[in-house]
């Protein structure tokens, strides 16, 4: 999902609002209790000049993840940007 968050709103609060609102919509719309968000989340900043590329990526994500899993992609992103991580804490 690509969203614009005002600087006065923390990322954690924005995620809380998005998860809460979408969960309520799902339960009200489909009358099912089986839906639940995962516990964690990831957030990345994107420059305005790259926003259209990110939107195209999000729109094609289903097809993209037929070729490469989310886990493979996420590990690659962390490694390409030199971010240290412990596999035990990535997936819960």
């Amino acid at each position: 999902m690509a969203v614009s968050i005002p600087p006065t709103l923390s990322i954690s609060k924005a995620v809380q609002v998005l998860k809460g609102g979408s969960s309520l919509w799902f339960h009200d719309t489909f009358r099912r209790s089986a839906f639940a968000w995962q516990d964690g989340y990831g957030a990345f900043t994107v420059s305005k000049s790259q926003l259209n590329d990110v939107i195209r990526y999000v729109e094609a994500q289903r097809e993209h993840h037929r070729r490469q899993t989310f886990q493979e992609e996420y590990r690659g992103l962390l490694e390409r940007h030199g971010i240290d991580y412990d596999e035990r804490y990535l997936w819960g």
Side-chain angles (χ1 to χ4, degrees), residues 32-87:
R32 295 184 186 163
S33 59
F35 175 82
W37 279 96
Q38 66 187 34
D39 289 333
Y41 62 89
F44 303 90
T45 58
V46 177
S47 67
K48 203 168 201 163
S49 65
Q50 298 299 308
L51 185 55
N52 287 333
D53 289 340
V54 171
I55 291 169
R56 279 192 295 277
Y57 165 79
V58 170
E59 290 172 342
Q61 204 168 25
R62 181 172 291 177
E63 178 61 32
H64 172 77
H65 286 296
R66 288 185 183 146
R67 296 185 303 275
Q68 180 183 41
T69 68
F70 168 76
Q71 287 81 2
E72 291 168 339
E73 181 178 28
Y74 194 74
R75 277 189 217 99
L77 181 66
L78 294 173
E79 291 165 6
R80 270 195 310 282
H81 293 280
I83 299 170
D84 292 330
Y85 65 93
D86 186 328
E87 188 84 22

